[in-house]
Amino acid sequence: MSALDSSSLHQLYQAHNGWLKTWLRTRLGNASDAADLAQDTFVRVLAARNVEAIREPRTYLSSIARALMIDRFRRQAVEQAYLDVLALRPEAVDISPETRLLIIETLTAVDTMLDGLGERTRSIFLAVQLEGLSYVTAAERFGVSVTTVKKHMIRAITNCLMLAQG
């Protein structure tokens, strides 16, 4: 990072960090989470290396912070669903904190990947994979041809493989 970039980032932080934390606190209801997300927002700005190009700082910062909030809410929802499933198991499950974190990160990545598929592809993929529908039955359910089901499955499986390669 050049001295100019560093100076610009420092000025951006000084001018807008307080505002951003307040903006986040009103949405999250928690000062600690707001401070964490504000910090993460400025880390993203640092990584983007585009401080000099920012013309509307509050719009830019709130856009990054909003995306980070969505990611946090999605992760919390995935983690809660995982914990709910664990609670339903008859036997206790002893999972190390490291393994639990890895599972949550993997589930969050899968959730994000599924969300990016598009509604029809996601629905077909989940019906075939989770409900065990045949391609013919899926085609009938969704009112498409078997060839279309195959195309959606190829798209979804390709995304799964790309996720696995990481």
Side-chain angles (χ1 to χ4, degrees):
M1 173 178 273
S2 71
L4 183 60
D5 288 342
S6 179
S7 173
S8 296
L9 181 63
H10 180 73
Q11 289 173 2
L12 181 72
Y13 184 85
Q14 292 288 67
H16 300 287
N17 183 49
W19 168 83
L20 183 60
K21 285 195 286 192
T22 301
W23 185 86
L24 286 163
R25 189 173 47 251
T26 62
R27 283 151 182 80
L28 297 170
N30 180 312
S32 178
D33 288 344
D36 287 347
L37 278 180
Q39 191 68 29
D40 291 346
T41 300
F42 282 101
V43 168
R44 290 269 175 105
V45 172
L46 175 65
R49 298 179 179 258
N50 64 347
V51 178
E52 292 295 321
I54 298 171
R55 298 291 168 240
E56 301 281 338
R58 290 187 176 184
T59 301
Y60 184 73
L61 293 170
S62 63
S63 175
I64 293 171
R66 189 174 291 109
L68 290 170
M69 275 192 302
I70 290 168
D71 290 348
R72 178 174 283 211
F73 293 147
R74 171 177 277 146
R75 181 182 173 90
Q76 288 172 341
V78 167
E79 185 169 3
Q80 188 58 54
Y82 171 70
L83 293 173
D84 292 347
V85 168
L86 280 183
L88 294 174
R89 295 180 57 98
E91 71 281 353
V93 179
D94 187 27
I95 298 174
S96 72
E98 295 83 10
T99 300
R100 181 173 177 237
L101 180 62
L102 186 59
I103 290 169
I104 298 299
E105 286 176 356
T106 302
L107 289 172
T108 303
V110 168
D111 179 60
T112 301
M113 183 275 301
L114 288 173
D115 193 48
L117 288 177
E119 182 60 36
R120 178 167 283 175
T121 301
R122 180 178 50 254
S123 297
I124 290 171
F125 177 74
L126 292 174
V128 169
Q129 292 298 312
L130 297 181
E131 297 177 43
L133 296 186
S134 68
Y135 285 11
V136 171
T137 306
E140 291 169 0
R141 177 188 285 182
F142 294 100
V144 297
S145 68
V146 173
T147 302
T148 299
V149 169
K150 288 178 182 178
K151 287 179 183 177
H152 284 289
M153 289 301 294
I154 288 168
R155 183 178 303 131
I157 291 169
T158 300
N159 282 3
C160 288
L161 290 172
M162 289 185 340
L163 177 65
Q165 291 176 349

